[in-house]
Amino acid sequence: MGSKSIRKGINMLLSVSDICSKSFVNIVRQSNRPVIPGWYSSISSKPSFIEPDLLLRHDFDNVSSPVWLVSAPGAVGKSTLAKELCARSGAVYLDLAEAATVAGNYITGGLYKNGLLDDWALGKTTVLVDALDEARLRVTQSSYKDFVEDVYNISRSRGVPVILFGRVGIIEETWLFLEELGLSCPIIDIQHFDHEKSKQFVMSSLLTMKGEKYRGLERLLESSYSVFESSADELLRGLESTSGHDGARFSGYAPVLESIATMLAGVSNPAQLDESKQAAMQQEVIQRIPEEILKRESEKLRAQLQKFPPDVLEKLYGKEEQLDRLSRIVYGVNIPYANQEVPGCLAAEYDKAVGDFISQHPFLDGTGRKPANSVLSAVIQAHSLLSKDPDVVLAAEGFVSGGKWKSNPFLFEFYLEELAKLGEENKVVTPEHVAYLYESLGSRAESGTSIYMNIEGEEGEDYADVEIQVFSNDGGATYEIPELKTSQAGKLYFPRYIRGVFVDAPEIDVRIGSSNAVELFSPVNINVSSVEFDCEEISVARGDSQLADDLSVVQVEAGELKFNALNKVPLVRKGVEFSVSWPGARRFPWTGFSIEKAQFEDTEIDEKTRRLSKIILAFRSHSKGELARLKDKLNHSRMSKGWGGVILEKLKEDGVIREEGRMYVLDPDELRDVVGTSFHEARSRDFNEKALSYLRNA
């Protein structure tokens, strides 16, 4: 790695005006038009340009060097910055993506052929070299090294710097080559935009949008500029909040800001930019950006593969291939990816080009091993979890269920998007993945909301319904979640915690824990075929402060305990009741929490008590302390079978259950006064004589 570590702290802030006024002060704008493709002597300033922060790396800050290096991840704005510097200073812009090839004497020969050598010798011109990555793809390491040596030889005695622009990896490789030649170069890192500059970027872009598509935009901006600016501000704050610890790494990303500007430009009535529309626009940005990045990367690589036939080229480095390769990098799957469309004679060249290019993919951070931000991470996670390669799936599941993983708020949507691509129109989620999606939604739940997951199946059914509800504690559902299904043949897996989960699926299995401690937060009610506890500790706590005391319960019921790693009594905190029920549950460490469900010799009464219990326990704490459930759920054949429909109708007739719009609401007081039972008794089916008499008369 040379005498220094490439990655160190960064400090000194530079600006475009500093560079132009101090380092490029003697440059003369060229009047001759270059004759070699990719060389430009006349670049116009971009009216909407917003300057990013430029940070000079600590210990890589020798600005007296004749060669400077500018680094940034893909699509952060390297080309835009290079062109703006050329436009303001008169420097020559060189786009290596347009060059036929690069090697030794490329810069020297280019200066000569373009008539720039005299001014070069006098320090009256310089070259800003863009697209190092694309150039590197087309040549061997030896040829690229010769190119860098030519830059060194033609620049080393000058006082005006040459500036090279590239992604992090190629810049660091170039720095090492130059250090071997005895040159210590500065590295300047382009930063993502902060909130204020992001807002300026959006508004500046809006002001420069022209053409038939944006007819009327100028007039709207004149009359409603503050409305657009306020909307841009709110959209950015929403993205910042949703992105969590990633902050500006997503919301301050240039393609995101361009997307926001494009969407705002399409608004015909700014007065209608209310909170709900802004939320929809925010979601559209999150969904759109990954697609645009993948498309851009595909086009950039294909443009460099000049030997490949067009019919083959269009099948290379598409979205799926990029995500397959990224999955292997991020999750450490050491099985090479092979694109079967590549002719054998070109396979080695293609693998080398892709290998050099993908390590600098915008989906990856500067290390080339980890996702750049939580949005792009979610895209890779979703693709990996549903991969056709079982090794990739196992690696992704191991990562997502691990102790170091933090729930990703964007995984839910991207997972469903992947399911749709696979043709899973009925949205059948792999049972092991259900908890990941629930945690994803839970990680973005706002203060003052409650989130519940209901999984319901019946004996003989292949699938169980998965319903996720998010409620505001002061009134109504905050957003609707598409109903999903999962297979009853699989195993639900909760690796870290369970909160607000209700499972009533007699043919499904459940695994709780992943070697570490697990937390259970009320309310939880699990009734399944079998359960496994793969954890050494369990703590049980009240999960919702708004929950009534008799609803603050965690109950696990199963036909069988298949595995138990628990070696100590569960810790049950104040304000919550914990119980378990399965054959043999009266053993350590469950002894103090074991309950037995009541059984009745009268088969009709036994069935009626089961159905009454099922109906009562179907209700959830909704808003303002009410117990409610969607009518469709209680009217489902799963609930109404046997005596279920009769008992539901009687409860409605007697005012125990009332209708409110799409919901049924249960009155706990009427349940006690009219039926003679409660939630607590329904859980154990410990019904008194009044309740049994009520059921006999049903």
Side-chain angles (χ1 to χ4, degrees), residues 208-344:
T208 56
M209 287 182 172
K210 308 286 185 185
E212 183 67 22
K213 184 177 179 181
Y214 303 113
R215 187 176 59 180
L217 178 59
E218 184 177 355
R219 176 183 54 79
L220 282 173
L221 285 168
E222 287 177 359
S223 62
S224 305
Y225 185 90
S226 61
V227 177
F228 279 99
E229 186 176 43
S230 176
S231 296
D233 185 77
E234 289 301 315
L235 274 168
L236 288 166
R237 292 193 187 281
L239 287 171
E240 289 163 10
S241 173
T242 308
S243 301
H245 64 278
D246 285 321
R249 281 197 293 168
F250 183 73
S251 61
Y253 187 37
V256 171
L257 303 177
E258 290 167 353
S259 185
I260 291 174
T262 301
M263 284 192 291
L264 286 175
V267 174
S268 57
N269 184 356
Q272 293 181 350
L273 284 170
D274 56 18
E275 188 175 333
S276 61
K277 283 204 171 183
Q278 289 187 21
M281 291 172 75
Q282 177 181 316
Q283 187 59 43
E284 186 177 343
V285 169
I286 291 169
Q287 296 289 125
R288 178 191 292 182
I289 294 305
E291 295 283 343
E292 293 179 354
I293 293 173
L294 292 167
K295 180 181 178 183
R296 178 179 181 270
E297 290 299 290
S298 177
E299 292 170 350
K300 289 188 77 171
L301 180 66
R302 289 173 183 173
Q304 308 308 315
L305 301 175
Q306 299 167 356
K307 296 180 182 178
F308 287 69
D311 61 324
V312 172
L313 203 57
E314 67 183 14
K315 300 173 183 176
L316 303 183
Y317 210 60
K319 175 182 175 181
E320 297 304 311
E321 179 179 344
Q322 290 180 60
L323 290 173
D324 282 342
R325 291 180 180 273
L326 289 166
S327 298
R328 285 165 165 75
I329 291 171
V330 170
Y331 299 121
V333 179
N334 296 317
I335 300 174
Y337 178 88
N339 189 321
Q340 301 302 319
E341 302 293 338
V342 181

Side-chain angles (χ1 to χ4, degrees), residues 360-584:
Q360 301 302 312
H361 201 286
F363 273 40
L364 301 175
D365 68 359
T367 68
R369 308 297 305 175
K370 297 179 181 179
N373 57 55
S374 55
V375 173
L376 303 179
S377 177
V379 178
I380 297 171
Q381 285 170 9
H383 183 83
S384 302
L385 289 169
L386 293 169
S387 172
K388 295 176 183 177
D389 187 328
D391 292 300
V392 172
V393 175
L394 283 173
E397 288 177 345
F399 176 81
V400 176
S401 62
K404 294 182 179 179
W405 187 74
K406 293 183 179 179
S407 302
N408 190 313
F410 306 107
L411 177 60
F412 184 85
E413 277 79 13
F414 287 116
Y415 187 99
L416 295 194
E417 189 176 295
E418 283 288 317
L419 268 186
K421 286 191 302 183
L422 295 173
E424 300 284 357
E425 297 300 332
N426 54 354
K427 294 187 174 63
V428 178
V429 178
T430 303
E432 289 82 358
H433 300 170
V434 170
Y436 306 154
L437 302 187
Y438 184 56
E439 289 181 8
S440 172
L441 289 171
S443 68
R444 69 189 192 204
E446 299 176 358
S447 176
T449 60
S450 298
I451 177 167
Y452 295 139
M453 177 166 68
N454 306 292
I455 301 174
E456 296 173 322
E458 196 66 69
E459 288 184 12
E461 294 180 351
D462 293 332
Y463 300 107
D465 293 333
V466 180
E467 173 195 22
I468 301 176
Q469 301 169 297
V470 183
F471 295 112
S472 169
N473 293 334
D474 57 5
T478 57
Y479 50 86
E480 296 288 334
I481 306 299
E483 186 164 294
L484 309 170
K485 291 183 182 294
T486 192
S487 170
Q488 285 210 87
K491 184 183 295 184
L492 293 172
Y493 178 33
F494 298 94
R496 281 170 288 275
Y497 67 87
I498 307 179
R499 178 193 294 266
V501 172
F502 303 85
V503 185
D504 187 9
E507 293 193 1
I508 208 164
D509 300 319
V510 167
R511 177 186 169 197
I512 298 172
S514 180
S515 299
N516 301 313
V518 171
E519 295 179 291
L520 310 180
F521 297 97
S522 66
V524 171
N525 196 316
I526 293 175
N527 179 15
V528 291
S529 174
S530 73
V531 64
E532 300 175 14
F533 289 93
D534 185 14
C535 51
E536 295 180 354
E537 296 180 23
I538 287 180
S539 63
V540 184
R542 190 185 190 97
D544 187 345
S545 60
Q546 305 292 320
L547 208 60
D549 288 344
D550 63 342
L551 300 180
S552 183
V553 173
V554 173
Q555 180 172 327
V556 181
E557 179 182 357
E560 177 186 3
L561 175 65
K562 277 192 173 179
F563 177 77
N564 178 40
L566 198 68
N567 55 22
K568 59 179 68 175
V569 175
L571 173 62
V572 181
R573 303 186 185 279
K574 185 178 179 181
V576 62
E577 179 185 328
F578 178 53
S579 65
V580 299
S581 178
W582 54 72

Side-chain angles (χ1 to χ4, degrees), residues 533 556 558 560-561 564 569-570 578-598 684 686:
F533 289 93
V556 181
E560 177 186 3
L561 175 65
N564 178 40
V569 175
F578 178 53
S579 65
V580 299
S581 178
W582 54 72
R586 292 191 179 277
R587 297 174 185 164
F588 178 86
W590 312 105
T591 312
F593 310 105
S594 173
I595 63 170
E596 291 186 9
K597 293 291 182 78
S684 61
D686 184 17

Side-chain angles (χ1 to χ4, degrees), residues 672-692:
R672 169 66 68 186
D673 295 343
V674 175
V675 182
T677 192
S678 66
F679 249 82
H680 179 80
E681 290 161 355
R683 279 192 295 274
S684 61
R685 292 200 292 141
D686 184 17
F687 295 117
N688 59 29
E689 187 53 40
K690 181 177 180 179
L692 295 176

